[in-house]
Amino acid sequence: MADLIFPDGFLWGAATSAQQIEGGRHAGGRGESIWDRFAATPGKIADGSDTGTACDHYHRWRDDLRLMTGLGLGAYRFSIAWPRVQPTGTGAPNAAGLDFYDALVDALLVAGIEPFPTLYHWDLPQALQDRGGWAERATAEAFVEYTATVVHRLGDRVRRWVTHNEPWCIAVLGHEEGHHAPGHRDPAAALRVAHHLLLSHGWATAAIRREVPRAEVGLVHNYCPAYPASDRPGDHDAARWFDGFFNRWYLDPVFKGAYPPDAVADRVAAGHLPGPELPFVRDGDLAVIAAPQDFLGLNYYSRVVMEAGPDGRPRAVPPAPDTPVTDMGWEVYPAGLREGLARVQRDYAPRRIIIAENGAAYDDPVGADGRITDTRRLDYLRGHLLAARQALADGVPLAGYFLWSLLDNFEWGYGYTKKFGLFALEPGTLRRIPKDSAFWYRGVIAANALPDATAPQTQGDTRAFDQ
Ligand code: IFM
């Protein structure tokens, strides 16, 4: 039983991001973001949707706060929309935008829930993109101004700050593969983007500490462990290749002050860099990026299995047909969380680690009894929380867990077709409907422990989330 109990003070949370839930596209003077523009471009979003209304959290946030209270959350991870705060990315702040987050932070604190904001979760003001976006160093400078503005307003009440969420997605999905805004396919630019994100993280860390010396700052990386498909040296090298560009490209600069030489060599070989010198790195940048962090946020969803293809090039092996996968096609692999946490701790020794996102997309209907029986999500969560608990027993300084996500929401290029929420949204009314996993997670938080897997699954107090 002891192995199912979490340490006292373990932080239980849920996570969302502004573009995915807020809606209120034009409300309160909000400016255009790159995702507004991208979603309005035909063919970019699977279901043709946009985020004009999304979950309407901008107007219903008080209702959503009641859901969080019902869950018993210790913390809520949300993101601040840069285009609400500075509609064109620079200059005087937009009072209504700051007021929105100010009220949210106050209300969270009154409810006893720690506000845990992320400054950048992908919604760059379009005006900055029009001037080159993250491929330009000036955007990193603008991010520091934006950060200082937000922290000046909220820093008296917010203790912990995340700078960026998942820089790999921004750089690679947005600028190399074109699946995310701004939809570019330019691998060389993606490397500049990654560097400017990391640089702005370092600068912002200093800016936050200047404004609030007691503040704690961290970066959130989407950690994906790579496993070789076999013992063949080529497969091992394929796993090294993936790990180098997906994980170490971000973690090495932050914790070791250097880009990983083998991954740099891979980029040179691919023709994405002219040589081992990175032309966009200026003197002093890496020292800025390596500023000590108070915590590292890791998002974990799945692993990748890599092999050397027939041409010798690395490629991912799709999960075997009998392997459980979520609706994203991602293998359910909780062992990767335990092993990943141990590896990150061994190689980087962050002061503390927070699982900043973990969760699963499954689409389950509302039953005749009004229940959403999302057993697969529940199994997924249970497996991953068990892995987290084991990592704690292994000695990993794991301080908290944020479940992705509070609500079914806009899953980027997939639109609203992938459902990660503890709460579904009734089509048309957007009424929040708790899934069984919401009741289950509520029980986990209340007990600070995982229930015995053999215990029958009940909803407990069905009025917990009445609105
Ligand atoms: O929805 C995303 C989130 O915005 C970033 N991390 C992964 C989630 C699921 O894909």
Side-chain angles (χ1 to χ4, degrees), residues 258-424:
Y259 283 98
D262 62 306
V264 170
D266 292 338
R267 296 293 116 185
V268 175
H272 302 164
L273 278 174
E277 296 306 317
L278 278 61
F280 40 77
V281 178
R282 296 193 191 163
D283 281 355
D285 282 5
L286 285 158
V288 169
I289 293 170
Q293 297 295 294
D294 299 291
F295 62 88
L296 171 66
L298 292 179
N299 295 349
Y300 178 83
Y301 289 91
S302 186
R303 69 162 175 175
V304 67
V305 176
M306 296 294 297
E307 67 176 3
D311 57 359
R313 294 229 290 260
R315 65 177 189 187
V317 181
D322 54 348
T323 307
V325 295
T326 69
D327 285 357
M328 299 296 283
W330 298 342
E331 180 183 352
V332 178
Y333 193 70
L337 177 58
R338 180 181 184 180
E339 290 159 7
L341 287 167
R343 180 270 174 108
V344 167
Q345 184 57 26
R346 185 184 65 238
D347 290 356
Y348 300 104
R351 284 180 195 158
R352 275 192 298 287
I353 300 180
I354 288 185
I355 297 173
E357 289 180 25
N358 175 245
Y362 291 113
D363 193 0
D364 293 300
V366 186
D369 56 359
R371 269 176 82 162
I372 301 178
T373 309
D374 56 340
T375 313
R376 292 170 299 173
R377 176 173 296 96
L378 225 141
D379 289 345
Y380 178 99
L381 296 174
R382 184 182 166 77
H384 286 78
L385 281 172
L386 198 53
R389 180 64 189 86
Q390 288 163 339
L392 276 160
D394 297 339
V396 173
L398 184 63
Y401 173 92
F402 287 86
L403 196 156
W404 185 271
S405 180
L406 181 69
L407 306 169
D408 285 349
N409 61 44
F410 178 76
E411 180 55 23
W412 308 110
Y414 297 95
Y416 297 94
T417 63
K418 307 293 178 195
K419 299 173 188 303
F420 280 89
L422 291 172
F423 295 85

Side-chain angles (χ1 to χ4, degrees), residues 122-196:
W122 310 355
D123 43 3
L124 188 72
Q126 180 62 40
L128 289 180
Q129 188 61 48
D130 294 343
R131 301 206 289 276
W134 286 108
E136 295 298 323
R137 206 170 161 97
T139 298
E141 290 162 2
F143 180 71
V144 182
E145 180 189 286
Y146 154 69
T147 295
T149 303
V150 174
V151 176
H152 183 70
R153 177 69 180 265
L154 304 179
D156 57 337
R157 286 152 291 156
V158 168
R159 183 163 69 94
R160 290 189 265 203
W161 296 88
V162 170
T163 53
H164 290 296
N165 185 70
E166 302 182 350
W168 177 89
C169 291
I170 303 163
V172 176
L173 296 181
H175 297 82
E176 181 169 330
E177 298 181 358
H179 301 309
H180 279 191
H184 296 171
R185 291 174 194 268
D186 180 348
L191 299 178
R192 291 203 302 278
V193 167
H195 184 66
H196 295 148

